[in-house]
Amino acid sequence: MKYSLPKLPYAYDALEPHIDAKTMEIHHTKHHQAYIDKLNAVLEKYPKLADAGLSDLMRGLEKLDMSPPDRKILQNHGGGYLNHSLFWTIMGPQKEPDKNLISRISQTFGSVAAFTEKFTETATNHFGSGWAWLVDDGTGKLDVYSLPNQDSPYLRGHTPVLGLDVWEHAYYLKYQNRRAEYIKSWWNVLKLL
Ligand code: MN3
């Protein structure tokens, strides 16, 4: 198997009370694992793609020699693998501010507070399952938008910098329908800002 579940860099209960241990455990061991299993299964059918990096496959998805249904599986489950792999690493029980990122955000959005407001609004208003993203557009410029399902910013040629999972599986046990509350609380466990 090519892809495997990355180890969580902290305990399942490390993000309490903002994200509960049960949600973290199910999210990591069940949801993330399921994306990986389906990603590996589809890649097994295309040995020629085995050595390519997943972000490169996403960037060139439309040009890959695959059947349309398999291409969709790669988009969904490759995206699911990449998105969650990033998500675990940008969170943590302790703040570890990234000075370079903070400076870039301040330059682009005016201030970290203005960025936080824009990102929160984007995540809150996203309809249905998906992610809010802070991306580097490839020219060094930062941008904020949301994408549906597990679509990766790499599909647009952008590099994901920060992502917030707003699928219900990310918050439903603790927050039920209160997505806005989950998003507000999430800033406490985003370690980089
Ligand atoms: Mn998820």
Side-chain angles (χ1 to χ4, degrees), residues 3-174:
Y3 291 94
S4 57
L5 189 66
K7 198 176 167 342
L8 206 65
Y10 37 78
Y12 288 124
D13 64 0
L15 307 182
E16 294 262 15
H18 308 291
I19 303 181
D20 64 284
K22 195 72 191 165
T23 294
M24 285 301 294
E25 185 179 355
I26 294 171
H27 202 171
H28 182 245
T29 62
K30 306 294 184 197
H31 291 277
H32 198 181
Q33 185 65 56
Y35 296 122
I36 292 165
D37 292 344
K38 293 197 171 93
L39 168 64
N40 284 326
V42 77
L43 286 176
E44 262 177 34
K45 294 166 74 175
Y46 300 91
K48 280 184 184 165
L49 303 181
D51 294 331
L54 198 49
S55 55
D56 288 334
L57 292 182
M58 290 291 154
R59 287 175 196 277
L61 190 74
E62 293 309 318
K63 286 178 239 124
L64 298 177
D65 187 16
M66 305 179 84
S67 73
D70 284 345
R71 189 193 310 277
K72 197 69 191 171
I73 291 171
L74 179 58
Q75 177 179 340
N76 289 339
H77 297 280
Y81 169 76
L82 287 168
N83 297 346
H84 289 86
S85 296
L86 175 69
F87 192 50
W88 311 135
T89 63
I90 62 174
M91 300 191 292
Q94 271 105 40
K95 291 282 182 184
E96 294 169 34
D98 180 332
K99 287 188 181 137
N100 180 47
L101 178 60
I102 289 170
S103 143
R104 291 182 69 198
I105 283 176
S106 301
Q107 276 168 24
T108 304
F109 301 98
S111 66
V112 170
F115 158 72
T116 304
E117 192 178 334
K118 185 180 167 78
F119 190 95
T120 295
E121 197 177 285
T122 301
T124 307
N125 292 337
H126 180 81
F127 181 75
S129 297
W131 291 68
W133 292 106
L134 172 70
V135 301
D136 184 315
D137 73 357
T139 69
K141 271 177 60 187
L142 296 176
D143 196 9
V144 167
Y145 53 73
S146 67
L147 291 175
N149 305 315
Q150 295 296 346
D151 283 6
S152 162
Y154 290 119
L155 295 169
R156 297 181 170 193
H158 299 166
T159 300
V161 178
L162 299 176
L164 173 56
D165 190 342
V166 295
W167 284 57
E168 284 185 345
H169 68 231
Y171 62 87
Y172 203 83
L173 288 183
K174 182 177 170 72

